[in-house]
Amino acid sequence: MLEDMMKIVFSVLPIVIPVVAIIGGITLAIIRTVGQQRLAELERRERIAAIERGIDPAALPPPSMPGAYENGHGAGNRTRRAHGLLIGGLVTVATGAGLAIFLSAVEPNESHWTLGFLPIFVGLALLVSARFVWPRDPK
């Protein structure tokens, strides 16, 4: 009986995992969009309330660009993206090196350890892209 249940679970599991991941990704995108709209609405309300209280609109900071709350806009987010690429690259290089060492220890006479080069090169590509994205000093 337990073996039959395990067979059912292991036959359904490969289908359930991608479905849950897709639904979770769509839900996350909807929540993020609603949050960004809410932030933009609050900024507009705050600006209107300040104008109603008699503050000169020229003295207020300019309204944000559409999509300013999204990732990837602004100078601070460029640094954040570069940091993400740098961290991802270092982790991927370390994973590839660990995989190569592990596979060489498991089968020392085989050349399966070269499989670790794939994540190493992906990590190096992320490090190079972090270098290109990194904000430059305008001086």
Side-chain angles (χ1 to χ4, degrees):
M1 171 127 168
L2 181 61
E3 292 176 4
D4 293 335
M5 287 176 49
M6 293 299 286
K7 286 180 184 178
I8 292 172
V9 167
F10 286 124
S11 65
V12 173
L13 197 60
I15 296 170
V16 171
I17 291 174
V19 170
V20 169
I22 291 170
I23 291 172
I26 291 171
T27 304
L28 181 66
I30 291 170
I31 289 171
R32 181 178 294 166
T33 303
V34 170
Q36 290 169 356
Q37 289 174 346
R38 181 72 178 146
L39 285 174
E41 179 185 350
L42 289 173
E43 183 182 3
R44 286 190 303 269
R45 282 186 180 186
E46 182 179 340
R47 187 173 177 84
I48 290 170
I51 292 171
E52 286 175 350
R53 289 190 183 113
I55 296 176
D56 183 26
L60 295 173
S64 297
M65 294 175 17
Y69 299 106
E70 296 176 10
N71 291 334
H73 295 283
N77 287 332
R78 189 167 181 187
T79 304
R80 185 175 174 192
R81 183 184 314 148
H83 283 166
L85 288 170
L86 181 67
I87 292 168
L90 292 174
V91 167
T92 308
V93 166
T95 302
L99 183 63
I101 292 169
F102 172 73
L103 289 176
S104 68
V106 170
E107 295 186 27
N109 297 332
E110 300 291 330
S111 63
H112 297 300
W113 63 273
T114 57
L115 185 64
F117 282 128
L118 180 66
I120 288 174
F121 286 131
V122 171
L124 290 175
L126 286 171
L127 291 174
V128 169
S129 64
R131 179 70 181 128
F132 285 126
V133 172
W134 201 270
R136 305 276 190 272
D137 190 18
K139 294 180 182 177

